[in-house]
Amino acid sequence: MPDSTVGSLLQWLDECPTPFHVVATAASSLDAAGFTRTTQLGNELPGLGYLAVDGCIVAWRLGTRTGALRIIGAHTDSPNLRILPNADIHQLGWSQLAIEIYGGVLLNSWLDRDLGIAGRVIDSHGVAHLFSAPKALARVPQLAIHLDREIGDKGLHLDRHQHMTPVWGSTKQSFADWLERTSGVADVSAFDAHLFDISRASLLGADKSLLASARLDNQASCWSAIEALRNAPVSEHTSILVLNDHEEVGSNSSTGAAGPMLANVVSLIASQHGLSEGQQFDRLASSWCLSADNAHAIHPNYAERHEPRHAPLINNGPAVKVNGNQRYATSARGLAHIRSIAESNGIPLQTFASRNNVPCGSTIGPITATQLGIEAIDIGIPQLSMHSAREMCGASDPVYMVSLMSAFLQR
Ligand code: ZN
């Protein structure tokens, strides 16, 4: 049976349909643990604090002047369908919503699902207001098999523009009017509105050993990191958590891993600790970053897609991700470091490497290592159906991940 703490992960996943909701949920969890929100970086940083901007949050627990940094990173965004500014389409008796595909969506997984809408509106004073409507509002309807006789032989072909446009009524709907009513904001100037599958996160299997939900990549890592930081004991090391936006589209933005938020906080902590430039370089050289992003568990129906000696099993612990071409940042030294932490704490650990003819994705690990000069270790819980509207992982692995992250912050 899975650990009871996994219930808090299920709740998190249901509360966080967008990166903005991830940041809000992370912030309220940190508030409850005694962290202070910082809005003016010109002031002294609190010992336990965080900075939240749009879809990114950086939190810290200050250690001593001579301690090193222990950074955990993850990303808040997931591939999805997003509503365009001029949203209304009225044609052929249908009301539809103009959308943009964000990131590497598994398009077929969005068909015939009941979709809700969530995000934020910006009012005429520039203030952001979150909203979420987890109701059956929209659907991307699949073509009947009778009108697509070749689907059996040729497979499903979806045109990214024409075939993914959702319907959301048979009478003339105005998205602007709906948004005003739903958000309770009368002067909406602009919005970020994302579609999401309204099925709730749930345990799955006759033994309830699996977990099915949207956005496991990468909110399972975000949840684990917040749990670890909240409960981290006082240490000489300074613990830092960064949850970046825009990883799924390359990380180049002010709130992405290639942006300045983490570097700014690291530099402010150095100046608060009174470190010279040389002392800061020494600190960075003795620091570690754990970059957490889900890995691919071996799929029982597609086992040939995996490197057989590096194919993570479900519910057998987090997988360290290795790629000499630097799609993942883990070096042999990093692998040795995290193995020693796992071993001394009795936490199972696996390794993932992709086949040479199946190139892997990347993570924020190499970007963070490049930006800060800190050695990074890429790691993730194994899952199936990555980038589907509904993904699946083992129910025990997120709990193993919390234990590993907690131990990492102390070593
Ligand atoms: Zn990811």
Side-chain angles (χ1 to χ4, degrees):
M1 269 302 281
D3 190 294
S4 59
T5 55
V6 84
S8 108
L9 171 57
L10 298 180
Q11 189 182 343
W12 170 297
L13 290 160
D14 288 336
E15 284 173 4
C16 297
T18 76
F20 313 114
H21 292 84
V22 173
V23 168
T25 300
S28 66
S29 178
L30 292 170
D31 289 341
F35 286 68
T36 303
R37 185 181 190 123
T38 296
T39 50
Q40 298 295 326
L41 290 178
N43 300 339
E44 189 172 324
L45 297 179
L48 290 179
Y50 68 89
L51 172 69
V53 180
D54 299 334
C56 177
I57 186 165
V58 186
W60 57 85
R61 182 184 286 270
L62 295 185
T64 65
R65 184 174 182 279
T66 52
L69 307 180
R70 294 294 178 260
I71 301 172
I72 299 177
H75 66 89
T76 57
D77 59 323
S78 303
N80 64 3
L81 310 184
R82 301 186 170 189
I83 298 170
L84 285 166
N86 302 323
D88 293 326
I89 303 172
H90 301 123
Q91 58 175 352
L92 307 170
W94 297 100
S95 265
Q96 291 181 278
L97 291 166
I99 57 107
E100 177 176 44
I101 295 170
Y102 175 84
V105 171
L106 265 181
L107 296 178
N108 60 296
S109 70
W110 284 76
L111 302 176
D112 297 345
R113 285 183 186 271
D114 295 347
L115 303 173
I117 304 171
R120 63 176 184 173
V121 297
I122 309 296
D123 69 21
S124 57
H125 303 285
V127 178
H129 308 261
L130 297 193
F131 73 93
S132 181
K135 301 186 272 202
L137 291 163
R139 172 185 175 109
V140 184
Q142 186 164 2
L143 188 61
I145 193 165
H146 317 79
L147 304 179
D148 190 9
R149 291 290 185 192
E150 293 183 331
I151 192 171
D153 298 327
K154 295 195 173 167
L156 176 64
H157 175 75
L158 293 168
D159 179 280
R160 291 169 65 78
H161 197 74
Q162 192 184 344
H163 298 152
M164 296 307 294
T165 305
V167 299
W168 81 312
S170 60
T171 55
K172 242 185 180 184
Q173 299 297 313
S174 155
F175 185 68
D177 290 351
W178 177 87
L179 195 54
E180 216 174 279
R181 287 196 307 275
T182 302
S183 65
V185 176
D187 55 340
V188 174
S189 290
F191 59 82
D192 289 297
H194 302 186
L195 291 155
F196 64 98
D197 178 12
I198 61 169
S199 316
R200 296 176 72 82
S202 62
L203 294 178
L204 184 144
D207 55 1
K208 297 240 188 290
S209 68
L210 303 169
L211 194 166
S213 173
R215 304 175 298 279
L216 288 171
D217 169 19
N218 193 26
Q219 291 187 24
S221 303
C222 296
W223 171 83
S224 302
I226 288 284
E227 288 295 303
L229 183 68
R230 273 170 55 101
N231 301 313
V234 175
S235 154
E236 59 162 337
H237 296 319
T238 289
S239 300
I240 303 178
L241 171 152
V242 56
L243 306 181
N244 285 116
D245 200 354
H246 301 135
E247 190 274 344
E248 299 292 356
V249 292
S251 295
N252 286 308
S253 74
S254 61
T255 51
M261 280 184 64
L262 174 61
N264 288 350
V265 168
V266 165
S267 136
L268 286 169
I269 291 171
S271 71
Q272 191 154 316
H273 278 150
L275 301 186
S276 68
E277 199 175 14
Q279 288 167 328
Q280 170 69 343
F281 291 150
D282 288 340
R283 166 181 273 185
L284 295 177
S286 62
S287 295
W288 286 104
C289 172
L290 192 66
S291 156
D293 200 349
N294 291 358
H296 301 292
I298 190 159
H299 194 305
N301 304 342
Y302 299 88
E304 75 285 355
R305 303 295 168 101
H306 283 260
E307 204 306 299
R309 286 152 294 273
H310 303 90
L313 301 173
I314 209 91
N315 281 329
N316 273 248
V320 186
K321 302 196 257 182
V322 176
N323 183 270
N325 292 298
Q326 301 303 306
R327 303 288 291 165
Y328 303 134
T330 318
S331 69
R333 188 170 44 239
L335 181 56
H337 182 66
I338 200 72
R339 272 185 176 157
S340 131
I341 292 171
E343 265 165 36
S344 54
N345 289 277
I347 302 159
L349 193 67
Q350 316 185 66
T351 51
F352 172 81
S354 54
R355 293 177 73 89
N356 288 304
N357 53 3
V358 185
C360 59
S362 191
T363 70
I364 64 169
I367 298 169
T368 306
T370 305
Q371 293 254 311
L372 292 178
I374 290 179
E375 191 152 357
I377 302 163
D378 271 298
I379 196 161
I381 60 161
Q383 71 160 97
L384 295 188
S385 314
M386 192 177 285
H387 291 193
S388 165
R390 194 161 175 86
E391 306 176 328
M392 187 174 82
C393 68
S396 300
D397 289 325
V399 182
Y400 288 135
M401 184 61 109
V402 175
S403 305
L404 186 64
M405 286 175 167
S406 304
F408 165 82
L409 293 177
Q410 292 167 58
R411 175 76 76 83

